[in-house]
Amino acid sequence: MQSIKLLVVLLFTFYISNAQEKLEYQKPPKEIMDLVDVTPAPSVRIDSKGAHLIFLFRDTYKTIAELSEKEMRLAGLRINPKTNISSRANYYNNIKVKKTLGKKATQVIGLPKNARIANLSWSPDQSKAAFTNTTATGVELWILDVAEARVNKITDAIVNANLRSPFQWFRDSAALLVKFVPNSRKPLIDAQKAVPKGPTITISEGKKAQNRTYQDLLKNPNDEFNFEQLALSEIKKVSLDGTTENWAPEAMYRSIQFSPDSQYVIATEIQKPFSYIVPYRRFPQETKLFTNTGEFVKTIHKSPLVEVLPKGFMATRTGKRSITWRLDKPSTLVWVEALDKGDPEVKVDYRDEVFQLDAPFTETPVSMLKTINRFRKIEWTDGELAIAYDYWWNTRNTKTYLFNPSTNNEKPTILYDRNYQDRYSDPGEPVTTKNQYGFAVVAIEDDHFYMLGDGYTKEGQFPFIDKVNIVSNATSRVYQSKYTDKVERIYTAIAIKKGEFLVRIESPKEFPNYYIRNITKDNKLTQITTFENPFESLQNVHKEVIKYKRDDGLELSGTLYLPIGYDKETKKKMPMILWAYPREFKDKNSASQSTSNPNRFTYPYAGSMIYWVTRGYVVLDGASFPIVGEGNEEPNDSFRKQLVANGKAAIEAVDNLGYIDRDRVAVGGHSYGAFMAANLLSHSNLFAAGIARSGSYNRTLTPFGFQSEERSYWEAPEVYYTMSPFMHADKMKTPLLLIHGEADNNSGTYPLQSERYFNALKGLGAITRLVMLPKESHGYRAKESILHMLWEQDQWLEKYVKNKQKTE
């Protein structure tokens, strides 16, 4: 009854007019601006032979003008219909190349003016790289000759990248298969100008379709028409000199994959009917087999529209799925089929079965493997061995299988059987190498393969390289990083037989740079990049990982930053910002583990709160906020209680160190972290103010599950009610800054969430401010938006946290 009364009151708040503030984009104080307005280091790509590096340079941010370009939101995609590529694509604007052991990078010659580079892909022989360049009118395909440091354009601006992956290399590195905008494309419909021909009708025929609250879905026949026109492509073969040959007719091609020997291609096409309740990846699909000359061979599978699935995160569709190639054979198809009808509630010994079919694809498919949990992936080798992985969300279990893919008469060996949230026991990922077909497979050396691990332990992070015997399954450690003042990340093997691995090393003051480490020659390091630290004003900031306990004894941690120039001897009481993101666990052991590392480089990204160490604040970043539900109990059954306990423990831990005034502590987060912040302010008196960015506050608007909650509203109404800050808006007594992108496309965090929550808070007299950022999605991209966001946060913190006593 009480909840009904509250809802009635809140309905009236929606009619209250909002006080508006006309404001142009603002900039934060100089201390923050100096850290925001820096040139980022380039992204680095290394060839599989370890001979060359490609440096990709970019601007730190987009501009609001870029985000204001024409955008169509269709079937879960955001497309620029003029250029035929994602309207949210990330671009690079310059390329340099460098011999790995050379001293200086070389500027690439011939790049287009105002380049917008994306989709870079090495050729199979590693001598070249293809990439797209987006012009004002479309997408072009370009080729980089790495040794010559020179590029040339091989197509006009007619490439179709709307469904991503616009090209694939032929194995000989002399040509590519490319998706083009068809000449037959019809003019798009302007939905705002089009005169409707009738109502839009969506039907239910009595089958349960418990889908997430997807965004950017098709809404009407005009959307259907536009999606089809934008998805249609012609596939052509394009040689490196620009010669073009027709290859496959017009269709809505989602993906194209060459067989390892390049003799066949599987192409997956989107089919009709479309849907208004699920995104394009669940539309009907037809997977076809072609020869490498474009001759149609057969249809491999037809998948129907998937609007209805069994309940649960582990539900999947029936029939063939994950159709791909066996990478250690010339032309062998591989796919997976559910043995439980795709229903997690069905009790079976094995959930999935993996099949294979050799060329010429006329025989009966052969079973290769059955997995106990839901199949995840297979990694191939060049021998009679493969490594398969499965997982089961409800138990957080994952298994790793060693098996012979060429026979099903040998029982697979379960190499690892573990909780995938247990980071301390994570064995790592296998080292791969390029095989004779140019594909990445697990490297086998003398009956061993190697594993690269992050190396998280209770004592800290110490990345490692292990050697696993494929006969005995025995594991031995061949290298482990011993840094206690730096962080070493091991990326990949450059030359296993020589013991050469690509690593990246950083410290709080040392910008991340790349090295070749030779584990067979006294762990020798050879530096191959020399990027400089652009954040020198932060190099003397005190940074440490603090560990503390919750009232129930659960171990927690967070990365603590002290203000620039802070005197630890006098211990002046300073204001603090606590920034966090809740995570759900099924066991306390995993929940208590720490993956924070004080030796990581201090890098203030766009949404970071680290900037405020320049403004006199203590910052506790990435504070642990585990929500644990063991056995039959679900984490969210006690969400609020655990949330407050986490916040209380964090504040007490820093307060016990003597650094903060606990009456001047702010809490904040992004997305689910915003949901956390609103709940903490509503159900505790721990904080002076809060910042909530792009959050969801009314869980009844996501009725078929959210985050890691798979129960529906009708199965657990009290959980949904208890967890929703909107339902408890009358308890909000603490100033809350709400920020949201007007074009948020994240499932469940549509802008209406912040708008309605603000109206409720305003109607009930809370101190709040709603900032809607034009053109922005779930993560903010435009420089103007980011600077204004930082300004808003600074103003809020200065008024309601740092100077709290002066305003009360």
Side-chain angles (χ1 to χ4, degrees), residues 221-235:
N222 291 338
D223 281 354
E224 292 191 62
F225 176 85
N226 288 338
F227 173 77
E228 181 178 10
Q229 296 306 307
L230 291 167
L232 285 169
S233 294
E234 296 172 335
I235 299 181

Side-chain angles (χ1 to χ4, degrees), residues 614-635:
T614 68
R615 301 281 288 158
Y617 291 82
V618 173
V619 176
L620 184 62
D621 192 36
S624 298
F625 265 72
I627 309 297
V628 186
E630 296 188 304
N632 293 326
E633 181 183 356
E634 291 299 322

Side-chain angles (χ1 to χ4, degrees), residues 235-347:
I235 299 181
K236 298 184 180 184
K237 179 180 179 180
V238 182
S239 300
L240 296 186
D241 62 2
T243 303
T244 300
E245 301 175 32
N246 292 333
W247 193 88
E250 177 182 298
M252 290 181 282
Y253 295 105
R254 183 180 175 188
S255 64
I256 46 179
Q257 299 179 57
F258 273 101
S259 62
D261 64 0
S262 209
Q263 295 303 303
Y264 296 94
V265 175
I266 50 177
T268 299
E269 303 172 7
I270 296 172
Q271 302 289 330
K272 293 181 179 179
F274 301 149
S275 171
Y276 292 1
I277 65 173
V278 295
Y280 78 99
R281 62 180 179 272
R282 287 172 63 174
F283 290 177
Q285 297 182 28
E286 190 169 327
T287 302
K288 296 179 179 179
L289 180 68
F290 296 85
T291 67
N292 63 4
T293 59
E295 180 183 350
F296 174 74
V297 177
K298 65 184 295 186
T299 295
I300 299 170
H301 184 62
K302 293 182 179 181
S303 173
L305 173 65
V306 184
E307 286 188 338
V308 177
L309 281 175
K311 177 181 170 294
F313 290 167
M314 299 313 301
T316 190
R317 62 181 175 85
T318 56
K320 296 182 179 71
R321 70 178 200 275
S322 302
I323 301 171
T324 186
W325 295 104
R326 183 171 162 177
L327 301 183
D328 61 342
K329 295 291 184 180
S331 300
T332 298
L333 286 169
V334 179
W335 66 84
V336 185
E337 295 185 32
L339 297 175
D340 57 5
K341 300 179 181 179
D343 187 349
E345 295 299 317
V346 174
K347 304 300 182 183

Side-chain angles (χ1 to χ4, degrees), residues 503-518:
V503 305
R504 192 179 76 173
I505 298 175
E506 61 188 279
S507 75
K509 299 180 182 181
E510 181 182 337
F511 194 85
N513 272 291
Y514 292 88
Y515 299 77
I516 302 296
R517 182 179 288 284
N518 193 316

Side-chain angles (χ1 to χ4, degrees), residues 663-679:
D663 291 329
R664 293 188 294 158
V665 177
V667 66
H670 190 97
S671 194
Y672 207 53
F675 177 71
M676 169 205 74
N679 265 299

Side-chain angles (χ1 to χ4, degrees), residues 265-507:
V265 175
I266 50 177
T268 299
E269 303 172 7
I270 296 172
Q271 302 289 330
K272 293 181 179 179
F274 301 149
S275 171
Y276 292 1
I277 65 173
V278 295
Y280 78 99
R281 62 180 179 272
R282 287 172 63 174
F283 290 177
Q285 297 182 28
E286 190 169 327
T287 302
K288 296 179 179 179
L289 180 68
F290 296 85
T291 67
N292 63 4
T293 59
E295 180 183 350
F296 174 74
V297 177
K298 65 184 295 186
T299 295
I300 299 170
H301 184 62
K302 293 182 179 181
S303 173
L305 173 65
V306 184
E307 286 188 338
V308 177
L309 281 175
K311 177 181 170 294
F313 290 167
M314 299 313 301
T316 190
R317 62 181 175 85
T318 56
K320 296 182 179 71
R321 70 178 200 275
S322 302
I323 301 171
T324 186
W325 295 104
R326 183 171 162 177
L327 301 183
D328 61 342
K329 295 291 184 180
S331 300
T332 298
L333 286 169
V334 179
W335 66 84
V336 185
E337 295 185 32
L339 297 175
D340 57 5
K341 300 179 181 179
D343 187 349
E345 295 299 317
V346 174
K347 304 300 182 183
V348 292
D349 292 332
Y350 297 97
R351 293 285 173 184
D352 283 330
E353 186 170 11
V354 185
F355 293 89
Q356 61 182 328
L357 181 62
D358 294 332
F361 318 106
T362 56
E363 301 296 326
T364 301
V366 177
S367 174
M368 180 189 301
L369 175 72
K370 293 180 180 180
T371 59
I372 297 171
N373 297 319
R374 191 66 74 212
F375 172 85
R376 187 164 71 91
K377 68 175 180 177
I378 291 178
E379 294 185 286
W380 310 96
T381 74
D382 275 337
E384 298 300 298
L385 178 74
I387 306 173
Y389 305 81
D390 69 15
Y391 73 108
W392 198 252
W393 178 86
N394 304 77
T395 59
R396 310 306 198 263
N397 178 256
T398 182
K399 292 178 175 62
T400 303
Y401 305 80
L402 296 183
F403 72 103
N404 185 340
S406 297
T407 177
N408 53 15
N409 295 324
E410 298 178 12
K411 185 178 179 180
T413 298
I414 297 180
L415 182 62
Y416 304 115
D417 187 351
R418 51 182 294 275
N419 182 331
Y420 60 74
Q421 287 187 314
D422 181 357
R423 299 300 303 278
Y424 291 177
S425 71
D426 190 343
E429 294 289 330
V431 174
T432 62
T433 187
K434 295 286 186 181
N435 66 4
Q436 59 182 315
Y437 305 115
F439 286 89
V441 297
V442 177
I444 303 293
E445 295 287 338
D446 300 324
D447 290 334
H448 290 85
F449 64 89
Y450 293 83
M451 300 285 283
L452 306 182
D454 291 331
Y456 290 110
T457 71
K458 193 175 182 64
E459 291 72 34
Q461 183 182 4
F462 306 98
F464 60 82
I465 303 172
D466 279 352
K467 184 166 66 171
V468 181
N469 187 291
I470 63 176
V471 179
S472 67
N473 298 335
T475 299
S476 58
R477 186 142 297 176
V478 297
Y479 173 76
Q480 184 155 26
S481 178
K482 299 185 183 300
Y483 288 119
T484 57
D485 59 345
K486 298 180 180 182
V487 180
E488 177 177 9
R489 180 178 176 183
I490 309 169
Y491 276 88
T492 188
I494 298 299
I496 293 179
K497 290 183 178 180
K498 295 181 180 179
E500 294 178 349
F501 289 81
L502 177 70
V503 305
R504 192 179 76 173
I505 298 175
E506 61 188 279
S507 75

